[in-house]
Amino acid sequence: MALPEHRSTPTDTLGRRLHDLRLSVTDRCNFRCTYCMPKEVFGRDHAFLPKSDILTFEELLRLSRLFVGLGVEKIRVTGGEPLLRRDLPKLIEMLAGIDGLKDLTLTTNGSALAALAKPLRDAGLKRLTVSVDALDETIFRAMNDVDFPLARVLEGIDAAHDAGFGPIKINMVVKRGVNEHQIVPMVKRFSGPHYILRFIEFMDVGTSNGWRLEDMVPAADIVALIRREIPLAELPANYAGEVARRFRHADGGGEIGVISSVTQPFCQSCTRARIAADGQFYTCLFAATGHDLRALLRGGLSDEAIAKAIAALWRVRDDRYSELRSDATLALPKAEMSRLGG
Ligand code: SAM
Ligand code: SF4
Ligand code: SF4
């Protein structure tokens, strides 16, 4: 029997189906990573979203269910810093219970993970990504720009292992002249079966991080730099459209990957939807504006009407910012990543 229109998976103008959902649960963060929330812009007087604008757990659950009904199989909880959201394990438990959801994961800066890893695991979180940009204390503190100690994040990662997470993904954003000489130490530290290390090209998300092409280290250079010291064997993609190029240490010591969003864009296979903490629905990481799903949720619309609206927005999606990146696109207005969900 054919599914009613609002229950079947929509496909956009480039033939990309809706498959992943990134759910931002807060626009706040206790770090001021220079590439994401530079403190000159996100200072004391920065206007974060008021509580009343932020989706409640019930609203997040309702939207998530509707997206799963439209074909989403994977939800990544993010932010801002998601662990700052009060009672987060409760939300995880609610999302973990969604029928048809195959994967539930979360990206965090790890600062509060030591206390929360076990409650999150017990609540049903399946996988975890922790961002770590350096193993050198001075560089780590300079990149988070709030003098946060590396040891607390490493304790969080240990706590996550103890709680049963594994392998844990580690994200490292590489910025030229800042942390590129941390690449090889990171490969050595996060080797073995317990970790999957991902190097991410510095991206021109938002308009406040002062992005310049020359500050971005291309993924190919990252791989070449590692290969000078550590032999790597390339791995086949796990699935069509996987964004990371994957390698394993030739001696069998674990997996690394590079995400070349700038040098080798993967828009053609981009199946990600994003919901900001205030319920704005973004169809691209580089979009300037979203679509207000909160107004639909709070306006008394039925599930069917909201699902139909989401499907209609996905069907007209034509985003491919990274493929079109140029001096001209750099000047376009874009929402901040901390707002729309990294
Ligand atoms: N606060 C959490 C964290 O840092 O893991 C989750 C949100 S953060 C926006 C999600 C991911 O985006 C992090 O791994 C972060 O390093 C990455 N990110 C932020 N700004 C970036 C940029 N300009 N270029 C590339 N990656 C970036
Ligand atoms: Fe916060 Fe994550 Fe952005 Fe760093 S990357 S400022 S930890 S939201
Ligand atoms: Fe997807 Fe937009 Fe990134 Fe392209 S630029 S991969 S469409 S989020």
Side-chain angles (χ1 to χ4, degrees), residues 144-209:
N144 67 53
D145 216 9
V146 292
D147 218 20
F148 196 89
L150 172 69
R152 298 254 303 273
V153 174
L154 297 180
E155 271 167 32
I157 294 173
D158 287 346
H161 279 305
D162 292 347
F165 287 104
I168 295 174
K169 257 191 205 163
I170 308 288
N171 273 359
M172 170 175 173
V173 176
V174 183
K175 218 177 149 186
R176 190 181 302 284
V178 178
N179 65 340
E180 62 202 300
H181 48 290
Q182 290 292 295
I183 293 173
V184 170
M186 285 283 288
V187 173
K188 290 181 177 163
R189 170 66 175 75
F190 293 111
S191 66
H194 299 308
Y195 304 105
I196 296 174
L197 181 57
R198 291 276 190 258
F199 296 99
I200 306 175
E201 290 178 349
F202 174 37
M203 292 185 288
D204 50 328
V205 282
T207 49
S208 66
N209 66 7

Short mmCIF file of all heavy atoms in Angstrom, two decimals, residues 144-209:
data_model
loop_
_atom_site.label_atom_id
_atom_site.label_comp_id
_atom_site.label_asym_id
_atom_site.label_seq_id
_atom_site.Cartn_x
_atom_site.Cartn_y
_atom_site.Cartn_z
N ASN A 144 39.98 26.94 22.45
CA ASN A 144 38.64 27.09 23.07
C ASN A 144 38.47 28.50 23.63
O ASN A 144 37.35 28.94 23.89
CB ASN A 144 38.35 25.99 24.10
CG ASN A 144 39.22 26.04 25.35
OD1 ASN A 144 39.32 27.06 26.01
ND2 ASN A 144 39.85 24.91 25.68
N ASP A 145 39.57 29.20 23.80
CA ASP A 145 39.62 30.63 24.15
C ASP A 145 38.91 30.99 25.45
O ASP A 145 38.55 32.15 25.65
CB ASP A 145 39.07 31.48 22.98
CG ASP A 145 39.85 32.80 22.87
OD1 ASP A 145 40.87 32.94 23.56
OD2 ASP A 145 39.41 33.68 22.12
N VAL A 146 38.70 29.96 26.30
CA VAL A 146 38.19 30.25 27.64
C VAL A 146 39.10 29.59 28.68
O VAL A 146 38.72 29.41 29.83
CB VAL A 146 36.73 29.76 27.84
CG1 VAL A 146 35.75 30.57 27.00
CG2 VAL A 146 36.60 28.28 27.53
N ASP A 147 40.32 29.19 28.21
CA ASP A 147 41.30 28.59 29.10
C ASP A 147 40.81 27.27 29.70
O ASP A 147 41.13 26.95 30.84
CB ASP A 147 41.64 29.60 30.23
CG ASP A 147 43.12 29.54 30.56
OD1 ASP A 147 43.90 29.04 29.72
OD2 ASP A 147 43.50 29.98 31.67
N PHE A 148 39.99 26.54 28.96
CA PHE A 148 39.45 25.27 29.49
C PHE A 148 40.53 24.20 29.42
O PHE A 148 41.14 23.99 28.37
CB PHE A 148 38.21 24.83 28.72
CG PHE A 148 37.42 23.78 29.45
CD1 PHE A 148 36.43 24.15 30.36
CD2 PHE A 148 37.70 22.43 29.29
CE1 PHE A 148 35.72 23.19 31.07
CE2 PHE A 148 37.00 21.47 30.00
CZ PHE A 148 36.01 21.85 30.89
N PRO A 149 40.78 23.47 30.52
CA PRO A 149 41.86 22.48 30.52
C PRO A 149 41.53 21.22 29.72
O PRO A 149 40.43 20.68 29.82
CB PRO A 149 42.05 22.14 32.00
CG PRO A 149 40.81 22.58 32.69
CD PRO A 149 40.12 23.61 31.84
N LEU A 150 42.52 20.77 28.96
CA LEU A 150 42.37 19.56 28.15
C LEU A 150 42.05 18.34 29.02
O LEU A 150 41.25 17.49 28.63
CB LEU A 150 43.69 19.33 27.37
CG LEU A 150 43.81 18.03 26.61
CD1 LEU A 150 42.85 18.02 25.42
CD2 LEU A 150 45.24 17.81 26.11
N ALA A 151 42.67 18.28 30.20
CA ALA A 151 42.51 17.08 31.05
C ALA A 151 41.03 16.78 31.33
O ALA A 151 40.63 15.61 31.36
CB ALA A 151 43.27 17.27 32.36
N ARG A 152 40.22 17.83 31.49
CA ARG A 152 38.80 17.59 31.81
C ARG A 152 38.09 16.94 30.62
O ARG A 152 37.18 16.13 30.80
CB ARG A 152 38.11 18.92 32.17
CG ARG A 152 38.68 19.61 33.39
CD ARG A 152 37.78 19.50 34.62
NE ARG A 152 36.44 20.03 34.42
CZ ARG A 152 36.07 21.30 34.60
NH1 ARG A 152 36.98 22.20 34.94
NH2 ARG A 152 34.83 21.67 34.44
N VAL A 153 38.48 17.31 29.41
CA VAL A 153 37.86 16.70 28.22
C VAL A 153 38.33 15.24 28.09
O VAL A 153 37.52 14.34 27.81
CB VAL A 153 38.20 17.52 26.95
CG1 VAL A 153 37.68 16.82 25.70
CG2 VAL A 153 37.61 18.92 27.06
N LEU A 154 39.62 15.02 28.34
CA LEU A 154 40.13 13.64 28.25
C LEU A 154 39.47 12.76 29.33
O LEU A 154 39.16 11.59 29.07
CB LEU A 154 41.66 13.63 28.38
CG LEU A 154 42.42 14.36 27.25
CD1 LEU A 154 43.93 14.30 27.47
CD2 LEU A 154 42.07 13.81 25.86
N GLU A 155 39.23 13.34 30.50
CA GLU A 155 38.49 12.58 31.55
C GLU A 155 37.09 12.22 31.05
O GLU A 155 36.59 11.13 31.31
CB GLU A 155 38.29 13.46 32.80
CG GLU A 155 39.39 13.42 33.81
CD GLU A 155 39.24 14.56 34.82
OE1 GLU A 155 38.09 14.96 35.13
OE2 GLU A 155 40.28 15.08 35.27
N GLY A 156 36.48 13.16 30.35
CA GLY A 156 35.13 12.92 29.80
C GLY A 156 35.16 11.77 28.79
O GLY A 156 34.25 10.92 28.78
N ILE A 157 36.19 11.74 27.97
CA ILE A 157 36.30 10.68 26.96
C ILE A 157 36.50 9.33 27.67
O ILE A 157 35.87 8.32 27.30
CB ILE A 157 37.45 10.99 25.97
CG1 ILE A 157 37.09 12.24 25.16
CG2 ILE A 157 37.74 9.80 25.07
CD1 ILE A 157 38.20 12.77 24.26
N ASP A 158 37.32 9.31 28.72
CA ASP A 158 37.51 8.07 29.49
C ASP A 158 36.19 7.62 30.13
O ASP A 158 35.85 6.44 30.11
CB ASP A 158 38.55 8.28 30.61
CG ASP A 158 39.96 8.38 30.04
OD1 ASP A 158 40.15 8.02 28.85
OD2 ASP A 158 40.86 8.85 30.77
N ALA A 159 35.46 8.60 30.65
CA ALA A 159 34.17 8.27 31.29
C ALA A 159 33.21 7.68 30.25
O ALA A 159 32.43 6.77 30.54
CB ALA A 159 33.56 9.51 31.93
N ALA A 160 33.30 8.20 29.02
CA ALA A 160 32.42 7.70 27.96
C ALA A 160 32.77 6.24 27.63
O ALA A 160 31.88 5.41 27.44
CB ALA A 160 32.54 8.58 26.72
N HIS A 161 34.06 5.93 27.59
CA HIS A 161 34.46 4.53 27.38
C HIS A 161 33.92 3.65 28.50
O HIS A 161 33.35 2.59 28.26
CB HIS A 161 35.99 4.40 27.34
CG HIS A 161 36.55 4.76 26.01
ND1 HIS A 161 36.15 4.16 24.85
CD2 HIS A 161 37.49 5.66 25.66
CE1 HIS A 161 36.80 4.69 23.84
NE2 HIS A 161 37.62 5.60 24.30
N ASP A 162 34.11 4.14 29.73
CA ASP A 162 33.67 3.35 30.89
C ASP A 162 32.16 3.12 30.83
O ASP A 162 31.66 2.10 31.30
CB ASP A 162 34.01 4.07 32.20
CG ASP A 162 35.52 4.10 32.44
OD1 ASP A 162 36.23 3.36 31.73
OD2 ASP A 162 35.98 4.88 33.31
N ALA A 163 31.44 4.10 30.25
CA ALA A 163 29.98 3.98 30.19
C ALA A 163 29.53 3.05 29.06
O ALA A 163 28.34 2.77 28.93
CB ALA A 163 29.36 5.36 30.01
N GLY A 164 30.49 2.63 28.21
CA GLY A 164 30.14 1.67 27.16
C GLY A 164 30.10 2.24 25.76
O GLY A 164 29.73 1.55 24.81
N PHE A 165 30.44 3.53 25.58
CA PHE A 165 30.49 4.09 24.23
C PHE A 165 31.75 3.58 23.52
O PHE A 165 32.82 3.51 24.11
CB PHE A 165 30.55 5.62 24.26
CG PHE A 165 29.26 6.26 24.65
CD1 PHE A 165 29.08 6.79 25.92
CD2 PHE A 165 28.22 6.36 23.75
CE1 PHE A 165 27.89 7.39 26.29
CE2 PHE A 165 27.01 6.96 24.10
CZ PHE A 165 26.85 7.48 25.37
N GLY A 166 31.63 3.29 22.25
CA GLY A 166 32.83 2.93 21.49
C GLY A 166 32.46 2.36 20.15
O GLY A 166 31.44 1.70 20.05
N PRO A 167 33.27 2.60 19.10
CA PRO A 167 34.35 3.57 19.12
C PRO A 167 33.80 5.00 19.20
O PRO A 167 32.72 5.29 18.69
CB PRO A 167 35.06 3.34 17.77
CG PRO A 167 34.03 2.69 16.90
CD PRO A 167 33.10 1.96 17.80
N ILE A 168 34.56 5.88 19.85
CA ILE A 168 34.15 7.28 20.00
C ILE A 168 34.79 8.07 18.87
O ILE A 168 35.98 7.90 18.58
CB ILE A 168 34.61 7.81 21.38
CG1 ILE A 168 33.87 7.05 22.49
CG2 ILE A 168 34.37 9.31 21.49
CD1 ILE A 168 34.33 7.37 23.89
N LYS A 169 33.98 8.91 18.24
CA LYS A 169 34.53 9.76 17.18
C LYS A 169 35.15 11.00 17.80
O LYS A 169 34.56 11.61 18.70
CB LYS A 169 33.42 10.20 16.23
CG LYS A 169 33.43 9.44 14.94
CD LYS A 169 32.51 10.07 13.94
CE LYS A 169 32.07 9.01 12.95
NZ LYS A 169 30.91 9.39 12.19
N ILE A 170 36.32 11.37 17.32
CA ILE A 170 36.98 12.59 17.78
C ILE A 170 37.08 13.53 16.57
O ILE A 170 37.62 13.15 15.53
CB ILE A 170 38.42 12.30 18.30
CG1 ILE A 170 38.43 11.17 19.35
CG2 ILE A 170 39.06 13.57 18.81
CD1 ILE A 170 37.85 11.52 20.69
N ASN A 171 36.53 14.73 16.71
CA ASN A 171 36.59 15.73 15.63
C ASN A 171 37.71 16.72 15.90
O ASN A 171 37.78 17.28 16.99
CB ASN A 171 35.30 16.57 15.60
CG ASN A 171 34.20 15.94 14.77
OD1 ASN A 171 34.38 14.88 14.17
ND2 ASN A 171 33.05 16.60 14.74
N MET A 172 38.54 16.96 14.90
CA MET A 172 39.56 18.01 15.05
C MET A 172 39.46 18.95 13.85
O MET A 172 39.61 18.53 12.70
CB MET A 172 40.96 17.38 15.09
CG MET A 172 42.09 18.40 15.00
SD MET A 172 43.71 17.62 15.20
CE MET A 172 44.80 18.99 14.83
N VAL A 173 39.18 20.22 14.12
CA VAL A 173 39.19 21.23 13.06
C VAL A 173 40.63 21.71 12.92
O VAL A 173 41.27 22.06 13.91
CB VAL A 173 38.28 22.43 13.43
CG1 VAL A 173 38.36 23.53 12.37
CG2 VAL A 173 36.83 21.97 13.59
N VAL A 174 41.11 21.70 11.69
CA VAL A 174 42.52 22.08 11.47
C VAL A 174 42.59 23.50 10.93
O VAL A 174 41.97 23.82 9.92
CB VAL A 174 43.20 21.10 10.49
CG1 VAL A 174 44.68 21.46 10.34
CG2 VAL A 174 43.05 19.66 10.96
N LYS A 175 43.36 24.33 11.62
CA LYS A 175 43.54 25.71 11.19
C LYS A 175 45.02 25.97 10.97
O LYS A 175 45.84 25.71 11.86
CB LYS A 175 42.98 26.65 12.27
CG LYS A 175 42.27 27.84 11.69
CD LYS A 175 41.66 28.74 12.72
CE LYS A 175 41.70 30.15 12.14
NZ LYS A 175 41.27 31.17 13.07
N ARG A 176 45.34 26.46 9.78
CA ARG A 176 46.75 26.63 9.43
C ARG A 176 47.45 27.59 10.40
O ARG A 176 46.91 28.61 10.79
CB ARG A 176 46.88 27.18 8.01
CG ARG A 176 48.33 27.15 7.52
CD ARG A 176 48.50 27.72 6.13
NE ARG A 176 47.70 27.04 5.11
CZ ARG A 176 47.98 25.85 4.59
NH1 ARG A 176 49.04 25.18 5.00
NH2 ARG A 176 47.19 25.34 3.66
N GLY A 177 48.64 27.18 10.79
CA GLY A 177 49.45 28.03 11.67
C GLY A 177 48.98 27.98 13.12
O GLY A 177 49.58 28.62 13.98
N VAL A 178 47.91 27.24 13.38
CA VAL A 178 47.39 27.19 14.75
C VAL A 178 47.58 25.79 15.35
O VAL A 178 48.21 25.63 16.39
CB VAL A 178 45.90 27.60 14.78
CG1 VAL A 178 45.34 27.49 16.20
CG2 VAL A 178 45.72 29.01 14.25
N ASN A 179 47.05 24.76 14.66
CA ASN A 179 47.14 23.42 15.25
C ASN A 179 47.54 22.33 14.25
O ASN A 179 47.39 21.16 14.56
CB ASN A 179 45.81 23.04 15.94
CG ASN A 179 44.66 22.92 14.96
OD1 ASN A 179 44.71 23.45 13.85
ND2 ASN A 179 43.61 22.24 15.37
N GLU A 180 48.10 22.73 13.09
CA GLU A 180 48.38 21.65 12.13
C GLU A 180 49.48 20.71 12.63
O GLU A 180 49.46 19.53 12.32
CB GLU A 180 48.70 22.23 10.75
CG GLU A 180 49.91 23.11 10.71
CD GLU A 180 49.88 24.06 9.52
OE1 GLU A 180 49.84 23.58 8.39
OE2 GLU A 180 49.92 25.27 9.74
N HIS A 181 50.41 21.21 13.46
CA HIS A 181 51.45 20.30 13.97
C HIS A 181 50.92 19.41 15.09
O HIS A 181 51.65 18.61 15.66
CB HIS A 181 52.71 21.07 14.39
CG HIS A 181 52.43 22.25 15.24
ND1 HIS A 181 51.82 23.39 14.75
CD2 HIS A 181 52.63 22.47 16.55
CE1 HIS A 181 51.66 24.25 15.74
NE2 HIS A 181 52.14 23.72 16.83
N GLN A 182 49.63 19.54 15.40
CA GLN A 182 49.00 18.63 16.37
C GLN A 182 48.39 17.41 15.67
O GLN A 182 47.90 16.49 16.32
CB GLN A 182 47.89 19.39 17.12
CG GLN A 182 48.43 20.44 18.07
CD GLN A 182 49.17 19.78 19.23
OE1 GLN A 182 48.57 19.08 20.02
NE2 GLN A 182 50.48 19.98 19.29
N ILE A 183 48.41 17.43 14.33
CA ILE A 183 47.73 16.35 13.59
C ILE A 183 48.36 14.99 13.92
O ILE A 183 47.65 14.04 14.30
CB ILE A 183 47.78 16.64 12.06
CG1 ILE A 183 46.93 17.87 11.75
CG2 ILE A 183 47.33 15.44 11.25
CD1 ILE A 183 47.03 18.37 10.31
N VAL A 184 49.68 14.90 13.78
CA VAL A 184 50.33 13.60 14.00
C VAL A 184 50.21 13.16 15.47
O VAL A 184 49.83 12.00 15.74
CB VAL A 184 51.79 13.61 13.48
CG1 VAL A 184 52.54 12.36 13.94
CG2 VAL A 184 51.78 13.72 11.95
N PRO A 185 50.47 14.05 16.45
CA PRO A 185 50.23 13.62 17.84
C PRO A 185 48.80 13.14 18.08
O PRO A 185 48.58 12.17 18.83
CB PRO A 185 50.51 14.90 18.66
CG PRO A 185 51.43 15.72 17.80
CD PRO A 185 51.10 15.38 16.38
N MET A 186 47.82 13.77 17.43
CA MET A 186 46.43 13.33 17.60
C MET A 186 46.24 11.93 17.02
O MET A 186 45.57 11.09 17.61
CB MET A 186 45.48 14.31 16.90
CG MET A 186 45.28 15.63 17.62
SD MET A 186 44.17 15.55 19.04
CE MET A 186 42.57 15.35 18.26
N VAL A 187 46.86 11.67 15.86
CA VAL A 187 46.73 10.34 15.24
C VAL A 187 47.33 9.29 16.18
O VAL A 187 46.77 8.21 16.37
CB VAL A 187 47.42 10.30 13.85
CG1 VAL A 187 47.43 8.88 13.30
CG2 VAL A 187 46.73 11.24 12.88
N LYS A 188 48.46 9.65 16.79
CA LYS A 188 49.11 8.67 17.68
C LYS A 188 48.28 8.45 18.96
O LYS A 188 48.12 7.33 19.41
CB LYS A 188 50.52 9.15 18.04
CG LYS A 188 51.47 9.08 16.84
CD LYS A 188 52.86 9.53 17.20
CE LYS A 188 53.78 9.37 15.97
NZ LYS A 188 55.02 10.14 16.12
N ARG A 189 47.75 9.54 19.51
CA ARG A 189 47.00 9.44 20.77
C ARG A 189 45.67 8.69 20.59
O ARG A 189 45.27 7.89 21.42
CB ARG A 189 46.75 10.85 21.32
CG ARG A 189 45.80 10.96 22.49
CD ARG A 189 46.35 10.29 23.75
NE ARG A 189 45.50 10.49 24.92
CZ ARG A 189 44.35 9.86 25.15
NH1 ARG A 189 43.91 8.98 24.28
NH2 ARG A 189 43.67 10.09 26.24
N PHE A 190 44.99 9.02 19.48
CA PHE A 190 43.65 8.43 19.28
C PHE A 190 43.71 7.31 18.25
O PHE A 190 42.92 7.25 17.31
CB PHE A 190 42.64 9.51 18.89
CG PHE A 190 42.39 10.49 20.01
CD1 PHE A 190 42.83 11.80 19.91
CD2 PHE A 190 41.75 10.09 21.17
CE1 PHE A 190 42.62 12.70 20.95
CE2 PHE A 190 41.53 10.98 22.22
CZ PHE A 190 41.97 12.29 22.12
N SER A 191 44.68 6.41 18.41
CA SER A 191 44.75 5.25 17.53
C SER A 191 44.05 4.08 18.24
O SER A 191 43.64 4.21 19.39
CB SER A 191 46.21 4.91 17.23
OG SER A 191 46.83 4.49 18.42
N GLY A 192 43.93 2.99 17.52
CA GLY A 192 43.34 1.80 18.15
C GLY A 192 41.84 1.73 17.95
O GLY A 192 41.22 2.66 17.41
N PRO A 193 41.27 0.62 18.40
CA PRO A 193 39.86 0.33 18.08
C PRO A 193 38.85 1.22 18.81
O PRO A 193 37.68 1.23 18.47
CB PRO A 193 39.70 -1.13 18.52
CG PRO A 193 40.75 -1.33 19.57
CD PRO A 193 41.89 -0.44 19.20
N HIS A 194 39.31 1.96 19.82
CA HIS A 194 38.35 2.73 20.62
C HIS A 194 37.98 4.07 20.01
O HIS A 194 37.08 4.76 20.50
CB HIS A 194 38.90 2.97 22.03
CG HIS A 194 39.15 1.71 22.77
ND1 HIS A 194 38.20 0.73 22.90
CD2 HIS A 194 40.26 1.25 23.39
CE1 HIS A 194 38.70 -0.27 23.58
NE2 HIS A 194 39.95 0.01 23.88
N TYR A 195 38.72 4.48 18.96
CA TYR A 195 38.50 5.83 18.41
C TYR A 195 38.37 5.83 16.90
O TYR A 195 38.96 5.00 16.21
CB TYR A 195 39.69 6.75 18.75
CG TYR A 195 39.97 6.84 20.21
CD1 TYR A 195 41.07 6.17 20.75
CD2 TYR A 195 39.15 7.56 21.05
CE1 TYR A 195 41.34 6.24 22.11
CE2 TYR A 195 39.40 7.64 22.41
CZ TYR A 195 40.50 6.97 22.93
OH TYR A 195 40.76 7.03 24.26
N ILE A 196 37.62 6.82 16.40
CA ILE A 196 37.64 7.15 14.98
C ILE A 196 37.95 8.64 14.94
O ILE A 196 37.18 9.45 15.45
CB ILE A 196 36.27 6.88 14.33
CG1 ILE A 196 35.94 5.38 14.39
CG2 ILE A 196 36.25 7.39 12.89
CD1 ILE A 196 34.54 5.03 13.90
N LEU A 197 39.10 8.97 14.39
CA LEU A 197 39.53 10.37 14.39
C LEU A 197 39.15 11.02 13.06
O LEU A 197 39.40 10.45 11.99
CB LEU A 197 41.05 10.38 14.60
CG LEU A 197 41.78 11.72 14.66
CD1 LEU A 197 41.21 12.61 15.75
CD2 LEU A 197 43.27 11.47 14.92
N ARG A 198 38.52 12.20 13.15
CA ARG A 198 38.10 12.90 11.92
C ARG A 198 38.74 14.29 11.87
O ARG A 198 38.56 15.08 12.81
CB ARG A 198 36.58 13.11 11.93
CG ARG A 198 35.78 11.83 11.78
CD ARG A 198 35.64 11.46 10.33
NE ARG A 198 34.71 10.38 10.13
CZ ARG A 198 35.04 9.11 9.91
NH1 ARG A 198 36.31 8.76 9.90
NH2 ARG A 198 34.12 8.20 9.71
N PHE A 199 39.44 14.56 10.80
CA PHE A 199 39.99 15.89 10.60
C PHE A 199 39.04 16.68 9.71
O PHE A 199 38.61 16.19 8.66
CB PHE A 199 41.36 15.80 9.93
CG PHE A 199 42.38 15.11 10.80
CD1 PHE A 199 42.69 13.77 10.60
CD2 PHE A 199 43.00 15.78 11.84
CE1 PHE A 199 43.60 13.12 11.43
CE2 PHE A 199 43.90 15.15 12.67
CZ PHE A 199 44.20 13.82 12.46
N ILE A 200 38.73 17.90 10.13
CA ILE A 200 37.73 18.70 9.41
C ILE A 200 38.40 19.96 8.87
O ILE A 200 39.06 20.68 9.63
CB ILE A 200 36.57 19.10 10.35
CG1 ILE A 200 35.98 17.85 11.02
CG2 ILE A 200 35.50 19.87 9.62
CD1 ILE A 200 34.91 18.16 12.05
N GLU A 201 38.21 20.21 7.59
CA GLU A 201 38.71 21.46 7.02
C GLU A 201 37.98 22.64 7.67
O GLU A 201 36.75 22.59 7.84
CB GLU A 201 38.48 21.49 5.51
CG GLU A 201 39.37 20.52 4.75
CD GLU A 201 39.11 20.52 3.24
OE1 GLU A 201 38.10 21.10 2.80
OE2 GLU A 201 39.91 19.92 2.51
N PHE A 202 38.72 23.68 8.00
CA PHE A 202 38.15 24.92 8.55
C PHE A 202 37.19 25.49 7.52
O PHE A 202 37.56 25.72 6.37
CB PHE A 202 39.31 25.87 8.86
CG PHE A 202 38.92 27.25 9.30
CD1 PHE A 202 37.82 27.48 10.13
CD2 PHE A 202 39.68 28.35 8.90
CE1 PHE A 202 37.50 28.76 10.55
CE2 PHE A 202 39.37 29.62 9.31
CZ PHE A 202 38.27 29.84 10.13
N MET A 203 35.94 25.71 7.93
CA MET A 203 34.90 26.13 6.98
C MET A 203 34.47 27.58 7.21
O MET A 203 34.56 28.09 8.33
CB MET A 203 33.66 25.25 7.12
CG MET A 203 33.85 23.83 6.67
SD MET A 203 32.28 22.94 6.74
CE MET A 203 32.02 22.74 8.48
N ASP A 204 33.89 28.15 6.18
CA ASP A 204 33.41 29.53 6.21
C ASP A 204 31.96 29.60 6.69
O ASP A 204 31.14 30.29 6.11
CB ASP A 204 33.54 30.16 4.82
CG ASP A 204 32.94 29.27 3.72
OD1 ASP A 204 32.98 28.03 3.86
OD2 ASP A 204 32.44 29.81 2.72
N VAL A 205 31.67 28.85 7.76
CA VAL A 205 30.30 28.91 8.30
C VAL A 205 30.09 30.25 9.00
O VAL A 205 31.02 30.82 9.56
CB VAL A 205 30.03 27.77 9.31
CG1 VAL A 205 29.76 26.47 8.61
CG2 VAL A 205 31.18 27.62 10.28
N GLY A 206 28.87 30.74 8.97
CA GLY A 206 28.57 32.01 9.62
C GLY A 206 29.32 33.16 8.98
O GLY A 206 29.89 33.03 7.88
N THR A 207 29.34 34.28 9.70
CA THR A 207 30.02 35.45 9.14
C THR A 207 30.97 36.07 10.16
O THR A 207 31.50 37.14 9.94
CB THR A 207 28.99 36.53 8.73
OG1 THR A 207 28.09 36.73 9.82
CG2 THR A 207 28.21 36.13 7.50
N SER A 208 31.19 35.35 11.28
CA SER A 208 31.95 36.01 12.35
C SER A 208 33.31 35.40 12.62
O SER A 208 34.07 35.92 13.43
CB SER A 208 31.12 36.01 13.64
OG SER A 208 30.95 34.68 14.09
N ASN A 209 33.66 34.28 11.95
CA ASN A 209 34.91 33.62 12.33
C ASN A 209 36.11 34.07 11.49
O ASN A 209 37.19 33.50 11.59
CB ASN A 209 34.76 32.09 12.31
CG ASN A 209 34.53 31.52 10.91
OD1 ASN A 209 34.62 32.26 9.92
ND2 ASN A 209 34.26 30.24 10.82
#
